[in-house]
Amino acid sequence: MEQHYFNHALTFRKDICIGCSHCMTACPTEAIRVKNGKAKLIDERCVDCGECYRVCPVGAITVDQNSLEEISNYEYPIALVPSVFSGQFPDNITHAEIIQSFYDLGFSEVYEVEHSVDFVVEEYEKYLQKEHARPFISTFCPSVVRLIQVKFPTLIPNLLLHKAPLDYTALYARKKLLDQGVEPDKIGVFYVTPCAAKIVAIKSPVGEEKSTIDGALNMNYMFNKSFRIIKNGISSKNKPTKKPLSKQSICWSLTTGESSIFSNIRSLAIDEISNVLEFLEKVENDELDGIDFLELRACDESCAGGILCQGNRFLTAEKLRKRATYCETVEHKNKPKTEKEFFEMIDYLRENSEVQPILARPIMKLDDNVVEAMSKMKRMYEITNVLPQVDCGICGTPSCQSFAEDIVQGRADIKQCVFVQRILEQNEKLLAVDSANIMKDIWGHKKLNKNSLRDELKDIM
Amino acid sequence: MMEFSFEINGGDFSNAGMISSLVKKTLKQLNIDGMIIRRTVVALYEAEVNIVAHAYSGVVNVNIFPDKIKIKLTDKGTGIADIDLAMQQGYSTASPAVREMGFGAGMGLPNIKNNTDELNLESTVGVGTMLEFTNFFEPK
């Protein structure tokens, strides 16, 4: 079975895009093409990693997000703030001030996402005892799950089908209000997200029917809102702060956050999407010996390197680890760490956290029919042999290989290759003016207007 | 039908797995079922490592038909004296040097057998070994 419904949180703004193709080159799944001078996303191939967003020089890729005003639609808006959020701030701003700023922004409850980590760890430990394809692959990073769906469907049985701390904290926060007699419609759960993938996970979840979260707030946007309030002075009416997080909770979203916890088994942590891609190839070949658990994260330095984190990822990670060490000191140790209520609510949490099977979304297949796919592949080889293997991207496709595939799939014409054009022109099979028109279809009229160079380069014109 | 052939050098452990990866990519493009791809790749990888570990050189012929993949690995090498014994789990003739590199646990041939639909093994001591296996795309 395959999944055919996609929804992405990244929007390519045609009015801003300058057709520079940086995003096309950066995309790890070759999901972007350039046409009519604008970048175009092939929805099926996108895994929401946000590498395109990182490299866009003009900010033409925007993230679909909820705005802060939307919290007023709910009588009880709850903020779920991940620990990496506080890592964005300078040292002289305290964690308590950051949390208080959310109350001042209008939230009635503020939770750190990682409040449920100690509970989740116990649930995971039980899950890891199960009869299961090894190694277990964590489903914490939504981009990694999507990458496996599209490029490594044979590894779907290895995915650890368990909800993330975010879902449990959301369930818990909501349930606490429900128990106080609050009507369900009046509760709105908002997550401050460090990445686009989490937004998609909320809007079109994989492995669950409906998300437990009502809205996603861009972390960068919330950093500005929160910082401004702190700078102008937060209100003094301090809300009771939640119990401090344990060390493992604070570090959960950093690299080795999961793998370091399961010390009784062999586990490994890998971050950054090209590293993950390289490693999944090995996993798929069954080249690993005795590794039981894989923590894979799409961003360098994991969530500290999320595309919506404005702070430097290394500094954020360092701050979090420092805070975690502080939480381990004696004065903190005496306070109860994890919220016991999570365990008291265990039946409710388990009942409401069932995970649906994850389906393949294979992008590599050339055709559903094997015979047809074989003949397309043969043509692809023939075409690839003609292409220069320069991967210049001037055809509007990220590589000669993907260009050959686009041709056999009817999405591109071999005359889009500049090398093929020159060969055809030498053989008088193509006129220079036709070549120019083909280029205009790819890169837009502006870049190839024959009058545009006249003033600047008088000498050569 | 599609045909590929590759050469393998004995002792070249660093490149063991390259052919498996290429075949894997091809099968994905042909929209072959994931479990069948996985079985094929695991068997091929083991067979590749066998040649690297035990032979001087080898040739891999991959034939893909609309309903099956047939892979033939022929090597020049020491050969296998007792095929039945070699098919047993845990039996290995790998040298200490090979074992030190993490290979040679004696799982190779049994693992290949477990992951293939048809298997044919012929060997002459001092000359070499021919291993041929087939996996069908539709489960039989």
Side-chain angles (χ1 to χ4, degrees):
Chain A
M1 264 224 288
E2 293 173 15
Q3 187 189 331
H4 285 289
Y5 176 70
F6 320 108
N7 180 8
H8 298 295
L10 298 164
T11 303
F12 287 62
R13 293 268 309 263
K14 275 191 178 168
D15 53 331
I16 304 174
C17 178
I18 54 166
C20 67
S21 81
H22 289 181
C23 55
M24 180 179 87
T25 320
C27 177
T29 57
E30 301 193 317
I32 300 169
R33 304 288 182 271
V34 177
K35 204 150 194 176
N36 297 318
K38 307 287 171 190
K40 237 184 95 197
L41 183 70
I42 303 172
D43 281 337
E44 293 79 16
R45 302 184 77 103
C46 175
V47 296
D48 308 289
C49 66
E51 291 302 309
C52 51
Y53 179 93
R54 278 185 218 279
V55 298
C56 181
V58 292
I61 300 167
T62 56
V63 176
D64 301 339
Q65 54 184 304
N66 296 91
S67 84
L68 193 54
E69 284 74 51
E70 288 173 56
I71 71 168
S72 60
N73 296 337
Y74 301 91
E75 210 169 303
Y76 296 89
I78 302 170
L80 301 183
V81 186
S83 63
V84 286
F85 185 76
S86 58
Q88 314 286 307
F89 288 83
D91 278 350
N92 61 358
I93 292 173
T94 65
H95 184 66
E97 286 177 307
I98 296 165
I99 297 297
Q100 182 60 42
S101 72
F102 276 82
Y103 287 112
D104 287 2
L105 285 166
F107 289 97
S108 67
E109 290 281 347
V110 184
Y111 286 88
E112 280 198 86
V113 171
E114 290 79 7
H115 262 286
S116 59
V117 165
D118 294 340
F119 170 77
V120 170
V121 167
E122 294 209 6
E123 293 290 282
Y124 271 29
E125 273 168 352
K126 282 186 212 105
Y127 192 95
L128 291 171
Q129 307 297 321
K130 283 188 185 178
E131 189 75 29
H132 195 278
R134 306 245 162 179
F136 284 90
I137 299 177
S138 169
T139 48
F140 174 75
C141 175
S143 272
V144 169
V145 174
R146 279 147 214 268
L147 190 67
I148 289 173
Q149 283 183 289
V150 304
K151 284 200 96 164
F152 303 95
T154 66
L155 295 176
I156 287 177
N158 295 61
L159 288 171
L160 193 155
L161 291 184
H162 205 291
K163 294 241 169 168
L166 173 63
D167 303 291
Y168 284 107
T169 307
L171 278 169
Y172 170 80
R174 189 185 292 273
K175 177 72 167 133
K176 271 198 111 175
L177 285 175
L178 290 173
D179 286 350
Q180 288 167 26
V182 177
E183 286 169 41
D185 296 354
K186 293 186 174 166
I187 307 168
V189 182
F190 289 84
Y191 170 55
V192 180
T193 178
C195 70
K198 290 272 189 193
I199 300 179
V200 184
I202 290 165
K203 293 195 172 165
S204 74
V206 173
E208 55 186 350
E209 274 167 18
K210 192 191 168 297
S211 173
T212 44
I213 320 285
D214 299 294
L217 298 163
N218 180 328
M219 187 176 282
N220 195 9
Y221 164 82
M222 289 310 292
F223 171 80
N224 289 329
K225 294 274 180 197
S226 171
F227 203 14
R228 194 184 171 98
I229 286 207
I230 295 167
K231 279 286 167 196
N232 292 328
I234 48 167
S235 69
S236 53
K237 48 172 178 40
N238 266 307
K239 295 262 181 176
T241 49
K242 300 276 184 309
K243 286 154 194 152
L245 295 179
S246 64
K247 189 176 179 180
Q248 65 179 17
S249 306
I250 294 171
C251 294
W252 179 267
S253 63
L254 300 178
T255 305
T256 71
E258 292 169 89
S259 68
S260 63
I261 290 169
F262 309 115
S263 49
N264 51 337
I265 54 171
R266 279 178 72 188
S267 50
L268 190 58
I270 292 163
D271 60 11
E272 206 275 321
I273 195 147
S274 59
N275 293 334
V276 171
L277 269 169
E278 178 194 330
F279 200 78
L280 285 174
E281 282 285 336
K282 285 207 175 292
V283 182
E284 213 179 27
N285 286 7
D286 222 13
E287 286 181 49
L288 308 193
D289 246 350
I291 302 280
D292 298 300
F293 179 83
L294 284 179
E295 168 199 315
L296 306 174
R297 311 275 177 86
C299 295
D300 189 24
E301 293 293 319
S302 295
C303 299
I307 61 165
L308 304 177
C309 291
Q310 59 82 41
N312 176 280
R313 60 193 181 281
F314 303 110
L315 294 175
T316 303
E318 191 272 339
K319 271 179 201 154
L320 254 63
R321 293 192 199 281
K322 201 175 87 190
R323 183 179 157 211
T325 312
Y326 175 70
C327 286
E328 286 285 287
T329 56
V330 189
E331 49 193 310
H332 263 72
K333 251 188 176 161
N334 297 331
K335 293 182 194 168
K337 263 181 286 183
T338 183
E339 300 225 22
K340 276 213 187 88
E341 292 96 328
F342 271 98
F343 290 96
E344 284 162 12
M345 225 188 252
I346 192 163
D347 293 332
Y348 174 82
L349 293 174
R350 280 184 180 162
E351 257 168 53
N352 289 283
S353 60
E354 207 187 308
V355 183
Q356 306 289 321
I358 292 173
L359 304 178
R361 262 173 55 186
I363 51 169
M364 292 178 72
K365 62 172 183 190
L366 295 172
D367 204 285
D368 286 325
N369 179 291
V370 183
V371 180
E372 192 55 33
M374 280 171 83
S375 81
K376 282 183 181 173
M377 189 181 281
K378 277 183 194 159
R379 253 207 91 209
M380 252 178 82
Y381 283 127
E382 289 161 15
I383 294 165
T384 311
N385 282 337
V386 181
L387 298 177
Q389 307 304 323
V390 174
D391 294 340
C392 63
I394 302 199
C395 58
T397 308
S399 63
C400 292
Q401 186 81 39
S402 56
F403 180 49
E405 190 181 331
D406 279 11
I407 294 170
V408 299
Q409 299 293 22
R411 292 192 294 255
D413 186 319
I414 195 160
K415 286 184 198 139
Q416 286 172 231
C417 173
V418 274
F419 290 83
V420 171
Q421 285 176 3
R422 296 297 91 81
I423 294 166
L424 292 172
E425 283 170 18
Q426 287 177 69
N427 293 328
E428 294 176 5
K429 290 269 160 68
L430 190 72
L431 298 172
V433 62
D434 294 330
S435 299
N437 283 333
I438 293 166
M439 285 295 122
K440 281 177 192 169
D441 285 343
I442 304 166
W443 297 98
H445 284 251
K446 225 173 131 190
K447 286 197 179 71
L448 286 129
N449 184 344
K450 64 179 174 184
N451 297 323
S452 65
L453 295 178
R454 218 160 249 178
D455 294 335
E456 290 83 352
L457 297 166
K458 276 195 198 89
D459 319 341
I460 59 165
M461 292 296 283
Chain B
M1 205 256 291
M2 296 181 74
E3 208 178 337
F4 312 91
S5 72
F6 308 91
E7 281 174 22
I8 302 180
N9 291 320
D12 186 8
F13 284 96
S14 35
N15 281 317
M18 262 178 55
I19 305 174
S20 321
S21 288
L22 266 162
V23 169
K24 182 173 71 185
K25 191 181 169 200
T26 307
L27 293 178
K28 281 185 185 179
Q29 288 177 318
L30 296 178
N31 196 31
I32 304 303
D33 175 80
M35 272 331 287
I36 295 161
I37 297 181
R38 205 163 167 173
R39 278 162 56 82
T40 308
V41 165
V42 169
L44 178 56
Y45 178 69
E46 289 287 358
E48 263 188 84
V49 169
N50 276 347
I51 295 183
V52 173
H54 300 290
Y56 311 119
S57 68
V59 177
V60 183
N61 289 303
V62 180
N63 285 296
I64 304 175
F65 302 88
D67 63 333
K68 65 186 173 214
I69 178 165
K70 205 170 178 176
I71 298 177
K72 187 176 170 183
L73 301 100
T74 321
D75 71 44
K76 287 180 189 146
T78 48
I80 303 166
D82 187 337
I83 288 179
D84 290 338
L85 193 59
M87 292 302 265
Q88 284 171 26
Q89 194 105 11
Y91 179 79
S92 176
T93 57
S95 66
V98 167
R99 285 169 200 249
E100 214 159 82
M101 298 175 80
F103 301 94
M107 315 285 277
L109 282 171
N111 205 11
I112 294 173
K113 193 168 196 248
N114 287 339
N115 284 294
T116 51
D117 295 332
E118 284 173 7
L119 179 73
N120 179 22
L121 181 63
E122 289 166 17
S123 189
T124 313
V125 174
V127 180
T129 304
M130 191 281 296
L131 173 78
E132 191 174 32
F133 65 81
T134 305
N135 274 351
F136 293 93
F137 296 152
E138 292 292 332
K140 273 198 156 177

